[in-house]
Amino acid sequence: MNLFQVLLVICLVKCSLETAGKHLLRFLTFCQRDVLGDGQYDIEYDGDQLLYVDPVTYQVVERLPEFAQQWTPDPGLARDTYLSVGTCHYNIPRYTKAESDPPVLASPTSMIYPKQEVELAVPNTLICFVNNFHPPDIQITWTKNGQLVEETEVSQTQYYSNSDFSFRISSYLDFTPQQGDIYSCSVDHISLRMPLNKFWEVEAHPDGQVVETAVCVCGVIVGLIGLVTGLWLIRKANKLCQT
């Protein structure tokens, strides 16, 4: 991947606020060269995203909608986003032209896990969590039994920053579990010689009714064994009394 095509963080930390409790407030701006409609502007507090501004509509989107009625975002955020993303695109060619050192690279790690307990034929979501990578430009693709899945079944979060200025992101795949199906999450990044692949196979737990039946059968067997043992002990005790 060409260095000029990677996602560049022009303003990673625009403002930091530290108190006695070591809290950190971050304003982050991301953009990508030659993709004019692309960009990201969000505000994080202690590693958790408070909100982001949609780069197309310039509407503020709270990370937790249930708190949306508790406070009113600064009306100037739309203007700040427009200026920050515009400045990012303006500076990319100048920054890369003056750069003499190679970019700092950090290879990603990844893991796959289901959102809910897996039950056959019950719709669920697979999550591919990718962490600790830099720079933030990354490609995530999904396969089912070796075949690429439809893009309409996949969604992805924004980039989130870690305390060491690496990044994390999650990709979601909607699926319906069928016994034996194998899914994979492939991660491609400038730091990798080859894509990072993680696999996950559908292994549903036995049906709850089957488990309950097995427990009942075991209970009956244990009860019968106890009854037979008790009758044998009583009979033996009677014989001892007669002697």
Side-chain angles (χ1 to χ4, degrees), residues 128-146:
C128 182
F129 178 63
V130 186
N131 197 14
N132 300 320
F133 57 92
H134 189 279
D137 187 28
I138 202 165
Q139 288 77 44
I140 302 174
T141 56
W142 289 88
T143 66
K144 174 185 177 182
N145 298 327

Side-chain angles (χ1 to χ4, degrees), residues 49-224:
Q49 186 190 65
L50 299 178
L51 58 85
Y52 71 91
V53 182
D54 188 293
V56 178
T57 64
Y58 292 100
Q59 296 294 314
V60 176
V61 181
E62 291 86 352
R63 174 73 185 278
L64 299 176
E66 56 267 32
F67 294 127
Q69 298 179 352
Q70 305 300 321
W71 63 290
T72 301
D74 187 343
L77 285 176
R79 178 177 179 274
D80 290 345
T81 302
Y82 179 82
L83 294 176
S84 295
V85 175
T87 301
C88 180
H89 283 293
Y90 176 83
N91 284 328
I92 280 182
R94 292 157 180 79
Y95 174 84
T96 52
K97 183 178 181 180
E99 185 182 62
S100 58
D101 298 324
V104 176
L105 301 180
S107 299
T109 60
S110 67
M111 60 184 299
I112 302 178
Y113 55 93
K115 183 177 181 181
Q116 300 172 340
E117 184 177 354
V118 176
E119 297 182 37
L120 296 181
V122 177
N124 205 329
T125 301
L126 274 180
I127 302 173
C128 182
F129 178 63
V130 186
N131 197 14
N132 300 320
F133 57 92
H134 189 279
D137 187 28
I138 202 165
Q139 288 77 44
I140 302 174
T141 56
W142 289 88
T143 66
K144 174 185 177 182
N145 298 327
Q147 302 295 321
L148 290 174
V149 302
E150 296 290 337
E151 293 184 3
T152 56
E153 300 174 348
V154 179
S155 60
Q156 190 167 290
T157 67
Q158 291 187 310
Y159 295 101
Y160 298 110
S161 65
N162 298 318
S163 58
D164 60 356
F165 299 105
S166 64
F167 293 85
R168 64 187 188 275
I169 195 170
S170 295
S171 180
Y172 302 94
L173 172 65
D174 295 327
F175 78 115
T176 301
Q178 299 295 337
Q179 190 68 41
D181 282 347
I182 299 177
Y183 293 86
S184 75
C185 171
S186 179
V187 178
D188 194 12
H189 187 256
I190 189 175
S191 66
L192 300 173
R193 294 185 177 181
M194 60 182 64
L196 174 65
N197 297 310
K198 288 296 176 68
F199 295 88
W200 185 86
E201 182 175 358
V202 177
E203 294 180 350
H205 297 291
D207 185 81
Q209 186 175 1
V210 175
V211 175
E212 292 176 2
T213 302
V215 172
C216 290
V217 171
C218 291
V220 171
I221 293 174
V222 172
L224 289 174

